[in-house]
Amino acid sequence: MKWDNIPPKLLINIDQLGNYLLPNLIYTWHDTGSKQVDSNTKNEKGAYTLLVTSTPTDEFLPFQQVWSGKTSASMPKPTAPKMKEAVKQGMHLTITNSQTSPQSHFSILKTMKEWMSEILIPYIQHVIAKDPDLNEHQKAIVFLDVYPIHKSDVFRAHVFKEYSNVILIFVLGNCTGIFQPADVGLQQIVKHMLKQQTVEYMLSFHKEQLKHGITPKSVKITNFIRPLHNATVAGLVHVYDFMQTLHG
């Protein structure tokens, strides 16, 4: 940072987290001694990847949400609750469109390229534009772990070719719990708040069914993919807004 006069606001830490569409805890309430107790979300494995980005100067960048699939039908609809707010925040929703692992929602070269062009570079340009001491050749650091796509030759070559002012610095393997800010102080908070929002969504389904005379024992939580995809957006908007406050 000293050699290239890089301010702390251009030291950018990124990390991915996986989040289930429905909480799938293995614990529930039932009669003592009961065997083979069923749970509404026991076998639900639907999930997405969330790329979380922050700086040491309290900037919290917009999320990138990554879904498996090949078309926009795999993502939340443009009419999903809070989608307008998500777009205003700068959130980027995308699909992997992977030829080798079509069911995987993990970040790949495609999604990392999109993250750089849609979130990272606009942020760097914004910082430069607001600081008279910086110029268009200002360097920035992306601090990231050794996740396979991060350290791959093809991703590093892409960054070197397209964004020569971006320096990649890697956290040593098995050291993210000590040296990576996202792992140390952000991911648990983000995941916990997203789980709270999911529970609120499930409770709203529960209450709506009770209003129509369904008995508590007969209440069902939806496990249809489309409404669950759409429901994720509002939670992300809520968490992002929280992280912009002093409490966040």
Side-chain angles (χ1 to χ4, degrees), residues 9-137:
K9 54 192 169 185
L10 288 180
L11 172 58
I12 300 145
N13 175 229
I14 70 169
D15 193 25
Q16 286 93 346
L17 65 83
N19 198 57
Y20 286 109
L21 297 180
L22 287 174
N24 54 356
L25 297 177
I26 61 174
Y27 301 103
T28 187
W29 293 98
H30 212 277
D31 297 334
T32 302
S34 298
K35 304 293 183 181
Q36 297 182 336
V37 176
D38 196 16
S39 171
N40 276 325
T41 62
K42 183 177 181 180
N43 297 313
E44 295 302 323
K45 303 298 182 183
Y48 61 86
T49 290
L50 193 68
L51 200 152
V52 179
T53 312
S54 63
T55 75
T57 50
D58 295 334
E59 283 84 11
F60 192 83
L61 278 62
F63 291 122
Q64 182 191 54
Q65 187 187 44
V66 181
W67 296 93
S68 61
K70 293 182 176 294
T71 70
S72 59
S74 297
M75 299 191 302
K77 287 184 176 181
T79 55
K82 298 289 184 179
M83 180 61 82
K84 289 183 179 179
E85 290 86 344
V87 172
K88 187 176 180 180
Q89 290 175 353
M91 192 183 305
H92 179 242
L93 287 72
T94 187
I95 51 174
T96 56
N97 193 20
S98 173
Q99 303 302 315
T100 56
S101 302
Q103 300 303 315
S104 173
H105 57 81
F106 297 149
S107 292
I108 60 174
L109 179 62
K110 170 188 176 292
T111 63
M112 288 304 300
K113 284 182 176 180
E114 292 172 358
W115 172 79
M116 295 200 71
S117 63
E118 300 294 330
I119 295 178
L120 176 67
I121 299 306
Y123 169 74
I124 293 175
Q125 292 172 342
H126 173 73
V127 171
I128 292 173
K130 291 188 66 175
D131 192 333
D133 294 328
L134 306 179
N135 59 57
E136 60 180 333
H137 303 296

Side-chain angles (χ1 to χ4, degrees), residues 153-225:
D153 291 342
V154 65
F155 176 66
R156 290 186 290 114
H158 172 74
V159 174
F160 183 77
K161 179 182 178 182
E162 301 294 333
Y163 309 107
S164 57
N165 291 334
V166 174
I167 302 170
L168 300 179
I169 295 183
F170 294 94
V171 182
L172 294 175
N174 299 316
C175 295
T176 56
I178 302 174
F179 297 118
Q180 187 172 35
D183 263 7
V184 174
L186 284 178
Q187 305 300 59
Q188 183 178 2
I189 297 171
V190 171
K191 292 192 78 167
H192 178 68
M193 292 191 69
L194 288 175
K195 185 174 289 186
Q196 286 180 317
Q197 291 299 301
T198 302
V199 170
E200 289 293 331
Y201 173 74
M202 294 166 66
L203 286 174
S204 69
F205 260 85
H206 190 117
K207 292 176 181 177
E208 190 64 27
Q209 291 176 68
L210 292 178
K211 282 182 182 179
H212 289 82
I214 297 176
T215 63
K217 198 171 185 179
S218 301
V219 166
K220 296 292 184 182
I221 302 299
T222 182
N223 58 359
F224 291 111
I225 292 298

